[in-house]
Every structure is written in C-alpha cells, then in structure tokens.
Amino acid sequence: MARASNRFVCQSCGAVHGKWTGRCDSCSEWNSIVEEAAEATVPKGVSRSGGKAVAFTSLDGAPENRTRRLTGLKELDRVCGGGFVPGSALLVGGDPGIGKSTLLLQAAALLARAGTSVAYISGEEAIDQIRLRAHRLGLADAPVSLAAATNIRDILAALDAPDAADVAIIDSIQTMYVDTLDSAPGTVAQVRTCAQELIRVAKRRGQTMILVGHVTKEGTIAGPRVLEHMVDAVLYFEGERANQFRLLRAVKNRFGATDEIGVFEMTDAGLAEVANPSELFLAGHSDTVSGSAVFAGIEGTRPVLVEIQALVAPTALGTARRAVVGWDSGRLAMIIAVLQTRCGLNLGSHDVYLNVAGGLRISEPGADLAVAAALVSAHMDQPLPLRTVVFGEVGLGGEVRGVGQADARLREAANLGFERAFIPARTKKGKKDTGNLQIAEIAELRDLFNQFDAPAKPKAIDAV
Ligand code: TYD
Ligand code: MG
C-alpha cells in the first residue's frame, strides 16, 4: 500500500493542499494551513460485484413517531421548531462568553427535571466549575449526568450503551478528539470525524445530539463548513457582550423555520426568556426625537417591532461617511440614492449614521421604508407623527412595494399601543384586530414627505 503522506489542510475552508503555503488558494485566508496526518485512503473506483441492492420505498409511508423533546425554555423550543427532535443533531455556535454553556446547562437541567435523561459532557470546564454554575443557577438538584471528557472513543462508549441518555450535550466539538488521528483537537479532520461519529450514534439510537461550536473571528463556526452540512439544525447565539440581551437565531433547520429568533436576557441567575421582544427593542424609544422610526418587522414566525435610528450631519471631511449597525450598508446606499434621484433629498455632503436599536440585525427588505422615514426625519429635523410604525420595500424607481404578513405586523403594532402605520399602497389586509390604527398608504417614496407636518422648524421638538 502507498505510504500515507501528510497533507496540508486549510483550517478556514477545509481545502487540502499538496504543500504548505502562507495563503489558502481557495479561500484566500492567510496563515490558515496546518499539516495533518492523511486520513486512511479511500479506495478509488467501486466494483459492482458483491454490492447489496438498496431497498427502495415510497414517499407515503407513515413517518416514525418522533415526539419532540420540549425543554420548557420557550424561546429555545421555538427556535428549534418546537423542541428537540429525537435522532437529530443540533449545532450551537457563538462568541466565547456569550452564554452557550449557560443556555445548554439550563436546558439540560429543565429537561432532566421533566424526566428526560440528559448527559452533559464538557471538554472545556472541570466538573467543579460546572457544579458551581449549576448552584448559581439554582439547578444543582436536577438529575443531569455530568462528565468532563474529550476522548470520543470514551464518550461513544457511554452514549452507545443500553442505558445511554436521550439528549447529549457536547461542549464543545472543538475540544473533542479521536485518538486514531494524529492531528490536534480543533483541526478540520478532528472536528469532522468527531462530529460524524457522534451524529451517527445519535441517528441510530434516536438521541438528540447537541454540539457546541466555537466561532472564528469572522463569526462563522470554526472548522469546516461541512460541519454545518452534517447537522440538522444550526443555531447562533449572538449579542453584544456589554449588553445583557442575547439572540438565539436559527440559520439552518431541517425541522422548522429559519430566521426564527429567541430573545434572552443574561441575569445573575442565568438566562431569562424575554417573552415580548418588541417591548425590549423599543425600550428607550422616544416619539419626539427626529431621526427615529419604528419598523414593524417579522423575525421567523413572529412580528417584532424595532426602532431604527438615523443621524444626518454635515460632513467635516471631504468624503461623506456612512456607518451602519444592524442593517446592510449596500441597502442604505441604495435608499440614499433613491431619495436623491426620485425625491431630490441630497445627502451627498452629509455623514449618515444608521442604527438598529437593541442589537438586532435586520435582513428584510421590508425595512426600506422605515429607514427612509428615519433618514427624512433626521434630515428635516422633525420627528415622525407620534406612535407610528412603518414598513415597506422601496424599489429603484421610488415606488413602495408590498411586503408579506402585513396583518401580523399591524396587529402587533395595535397591541403595543401604536396609532398610525405607514404601509405600502394596495397592501392586502384584514379589517380585524388592527384596532384603531390609522393607516397611511404610501405608493411612492416622495409621498412620505407629505406625512410630516410641514414646514420643518429647525430644532423645534414638540412636547406630547
Ligand atoms: P458561558 O455560558 O460560559 O459562555 P460560553 O459557553 O458561550 O463561552 O457564559 C459565561 C458568561 O455569562 C460569563 O461572562 C458570565 C455570564 N453569566 C452571567 O452573567 N450570569 C450567570 O448566571 C451565568 C451562569 C453567567
Ligand atoms: Mg462554554
């Protein structure tokens, strides 16, 4: 047999190179190539003799009864699409210290208290540290099977046993290793092999396998992209460390909607669920300040109201600055261009700052009209009419286009005591449940200007 030589694997994208180079040809990352022992060679070509024909079946067979395992943390359950699915693998990624271990320990303890057998295997923390945390969280009495281990062979021996737990949490996949591979824990080969072995056992035994993954400085889960392909669902736990709010976001889910978010608050007794995120994102919002618009958005299956703030100031330097937090900067450039071309609002010599309050990141085009309203309000130094929500997509021609789920957005706004809504013209909406909301239909972006009380008085901010 040919001697297995070492290979050079990019730790960022997983590409394999014949020799070491400073920069990966396939993803252009610098210093990401690490020498690894070659894996056992896969036989080339397949002979057809001796193969057992696969058995085909039909689509309409009764699916296996898979009762989901509800953790009781409603935000987590919803993001998973209604609890953990037996025989599935879930990857939870996030920055260090964001609260992944805390969240999963809480979920583990709640599940265990409800009678599910749960194993929590940590490769990062010692038993004492985890116990200390459990005490702090008031969960020390929960019957969770706790272990500190990193060797996959030992872990599999425990998880593949007849009395193995139904839910296993591996914190984290980057600390686990397979002793038949030479490379260090955390390398592409190790992460991939460890995950493969764990997932195989989970699928066979109907366990729920939860893997914690580190993220790189770019914010994606460290290790090969293939890890995200291997698992059934990928959740990201995000938030500003300085801010106590945390968002759990599904970016892939074979059993539910993606773009679903769960909102938590980090308290000294662990993570608390935030049942009504709109109230959180609107905290501190003032109707009487210019440059602020409330966007009625949809995150996953849920309407969420969030404040969009804009600041427009004459530029001190030659080139105008555009800084965006929580929205796409390309989209902001587009809105500024449409405002200029179609409405004659020239921001070319102004710095523009845009911020989505509360640390949320919006990806819906439906926020266009709210951004435009915030910009116009900032530029005119005139607040929007009191208690107004805005949504709608803006096209390059300056037309305002409809967005989905208008009813749900309007209902949420009415529930939270809003009185007006700027929405796209010809929006299909049911009459019910939108309360006394006064609706202004906007067909063209330039119609937005008529919604402000003209003429604008500089710095005149009316009291309520
Ligand atoms: P942790 O779950 O260890 O983060 P990760 O596993 O994602 O690295 O979270 C640790 C942080 O959470 C730490 O900085 C302290 C904070 N924390 C609280 O504020 N309250 C608590 O009750 C707990 C357990 C942690
Ligand atoms: Mg941790």
Side-chain angles (χ1 to χ4, degrees), residues 111-311:
L111 275 169
R113 273 186 187 157
T116 308
S117 57
V118 186
Y120 184 101
I121 300 165
S122 178
E124 302 199 331
E125 287 165 291
I127 297 282
D128 274 347
Q129 274 175 295
I130 303 167
R131 283 193 178 144
L132 215 65
R133 176 178 298 162
H135 271 288
R136 246 183 76 184
L137 299 173
L139 300 170
D141 61 316
V144 175
S145 313
L146 185 61
T150 50
N151 189 335
I152 284 290
R153 190 196 294 263
D154 303 342
I155 293 171
L156 287 178
L159 294 183
D160 212 358
D163 58 344
D166 291 331
V167 175
I169 297 168
I170 306 289
D171 189 2
S172 65
I173 190 71
Q174 274 84 8
T175 54
M176 301 294 149
Y177 72 96
V178 180
D179 50 15
T180 48
L181 287 180
D182 276 347
S183 40
T187 53
V188 172
Q190 285 284 7
V191 168
R192 190 168 45 204
T193 315
C194 292
Q196 228 158 28
E197 295 298 325
L198 288 166
I199 293 169
R200 194 175 307 154
V201 169
K203 300 251 148 147
R204 198 178 66 237
R205 302 191 54 99
Q207 281 166 329
T208 303
M209 185 66 65
I210 302 170
L211 309 174
V212 174
H214 291 174
V215 296
T216 61
K217 58 183 187 301
E218 285 79 30
T220 53
I221 291 179
R225 220 29 222 267
V226 67
L227 193 55
E228 297 194 19
H229 292 293
M230 279 155 64
V231 296
D232 298 301
V234 180
L235 310 184
Y236 275 87
F237 205 33
E238 327 169 312
E240 299 291 322
R241 203 99 61 88
N243 184 327
Q244 71 273 38
F245 299 112
R246 303 281 184 267
L247 300 179
L248 186 65
R249 184 187 294 279
V251 293
K252 162 179 173 178
N253 194 349
R254 289 187 182 147
F255 313 111
T258 50
D259 296 330
E260 193 73 78
I261 60 165
V263 186
F264 295 90
E265 181 177 3
M266 182 61 100
T267 67
D268 52 5
L271 290 156
E273 301 172 68
V274 176
N276 192 340
S278 296
E279 279 171 9
L280 158 72
F281 295 127
L282 293 179
H285 162 68
S286 163
D287 273 336
T288 52
V289 175
S290 64
S292 156
V294 175
F295 167 53
I298 298 279
E299 287 286 342
T301 55
R302 224 175 12 166
V304 173
L305 302 196
V306 46
E307 180 185 0
I308 293 180
Q309 301 174 316
L311 184 68

Side-chain angles (χ1 to χ4, degrees), residues 51-125:
K52 196 164 105 255
V54 292
F56 291 102
T57 177
S58 67
L59 283 173
D60 67 349
E64 238 181 282
N65 185 17
R66 290 187 160 190
T67 318
R68 293 187 179 227
R69 297 173 176 132
L70 290 169
T71 62
L73 280 170
K74 287 200 193 66
E75 297 290 296
L76 174 62
D77 289 340
R78 206 196 41 256
V79 174
C80 295
F84 296 149
V85 178
S88 73
L90 180 75
L91 181 63
V92 180
D95 287 330
I98 205 74
K100 304 181 290 296
S101 305
T102 308
L103 176 71
L104 292 175
L105 188 63
Q106 283 181 247
L110 290 177
L111 275 169
R113 273 186 187 157
T116 308
S117 57
V118 186
Y120 184 101
I121 300 165
S122 178
E124 302 199 331
E125 287 165 291

